[in-house]
Amino acid sequence: MTGLRDTVARLSRAQKPSAGTPAYSRFVNRRIGRVFAAAAYLGGRTPNQVSLASGFCSLVGIVLVATVRPSWWSALLVTALLVLGYGLDSADGQLARLRGGGSPLGEWLDHMIDAVKIVLLHSAVLISFYRFDAFGNDLVLLVPLAYVCLSSVLFFGLILIDQLRRRHGAGAKPNERGDSVVKSLLIAPTDYGVLCLVFLAFGAPSVFVVLYGVLLLLNALFLAAAIGKWYREMAALGVSA
């Protein structure tokens, strides 16, 4: 137990900067991930094994969404699996830093699992709405369909902007105001962890679709603002090049 506490403390000191990190990831998921990473380190596991465990937990939860009629017990189980998968998703990178650094394969595997689970999760919601017909209105199917599109664009946009910043030497400054708690709270709706928690209401479809739809709207507003910011940033890089 002492070894686990010491390892968690080492990870806490080596934590990535929190600039631009949504509240759930910053205050909850990273802490969960530290415990998982410490346990994996002491157990001799590799970051890629943790990544695959993350993907497996998420996949099982997603399959349940698509195949099991919504109920309170299934909502709790799905939420637990998605939260567990997300915690392990944080743990793989922390474990890599604890072991001295990651690898291109590890980074690729992590991003691929993220890309797949984002698309599959919203697709599973679409399948559930269609199969179990909780609303009697086909228009509700447009909500998860729109979420699939928006999440894919946002994920690709975040990955692309990060790569272009690195290529042009325009990384985030350590002391920029992006580190503020207020900003973390404002962008919390974009956090995958918040989406996971919304599935606690999956047993009550009418409640779930409202919460899910509100998250969709907030993410759409965030994406619109982000596209404008990214456009200006890339235009400025082009001028300075």
Side-chain angles (χ1 to χ4, degrees):
M1 191 66 181
T2 301
L4 181 65
R5 284 199 298 266
D6 291 343
T7 307
V8 170
R10 285 174 58 191
L11 282 167
S12 181
R13 292 190 292 270
Q15 187 65 68
K16 288 194 304 184
S18 56
T21 305
Y24 180 89
S25 289
R26 179 175 179 175
F27 299 115
V28 179
N29 203 55
R30 283 184 174 180
R31 295 180 183 183
I32 294 173
R34 279 200 290 270
V35 176
F36 289 158
Y41 179 77
L42 295 174
R45 303 304 177 187
T46 67
N48 289 348
Q49 288 174 329
V50 175
S51 294
L52 291 172
S54 168
F56 176 77
C57 291
S58 298
L59 181 60
V60 173
I62 290 168
V63 169
L64 289 176
V65 170
T67 60
V68 176
R69 183 176 293 276
S71 64
W72 288 114
W73 73 264
S74 66
L76 290 172
L77 183 56
V78 165
T79 303
L81 286 165
L82 294 179
V83 168
L84 177 59
Y86 194 38
L88 290 168
D89 184 34
S90 175
D92 57 8
Q94 297 190 60
L95 177 59
R97 286 191 294 279
L98 194 59
R99 289 163 55 98
S103 66
L105 173 60
E107 186 173 3
W108 173 84
L109 182 62
D110 185 47
H111 287 322
M112 285 299 295
I113 290 173
D114 286 343
V116 170
K117 77 181 181 186
I118 287 171
V119 173
L120 287 185
L121 180 57
H122 297 299
S123 299
V125 173
L126 175 63
I127 292 170
S128 178
F129 284 178
Y130 177 77
R131 288 190 67 208
F132 302 113
D133 194 22
F135 305 98
N137 186 343
D138 288 345
L139 289 177
V140 77
L141 301 178
L142 296 176
V143 179
L145 181 60
Y147 223 145
V148 170
C149 299
L150 185 144
S151 296
S152 297
V153 172
L154 181 57
F155 181 80
F156 176 77
L158 289 168
I159 296 296
L160 179 59
I161 200 72
D162 181 58
Q163 294 300 317
L164 289 172
R165 284 168 178 163
R166 291 183 189 180
R167 180 180 298 179
H168 293 278
K173 298 177 182 178
N175 296 320
E176 66 180 1
R177 284 191 290 176
D179 190 42
S180 73
V181 173
V182 173
K183 182 174 181 179
S184 290
L185 292 171
L186 287 175
I187 62 176
T190 67
D191 198 320
Y192 178 78
V194 173
L195 176 62
C196 294
L197 294 180
V198 166
F199 279 86
L200 284 170
F202 197 62
S206 58
V207 177
F208 173 80
V209 75
V210 170
L211 297 175
Y212 186 72
V214 169
L215 272 190
L216 170 62
L217 176 60
L218 293 174
N219 275 268
L221 293 173
F222 174 84
L223 178 59
I227 287 174
K229 179 179 180 295
W230 295 338
Y231 180 88
R232 293 190 297 273
E233 185 179 345
M234 292 300 103
L237 286 178
V239 170
S240 64

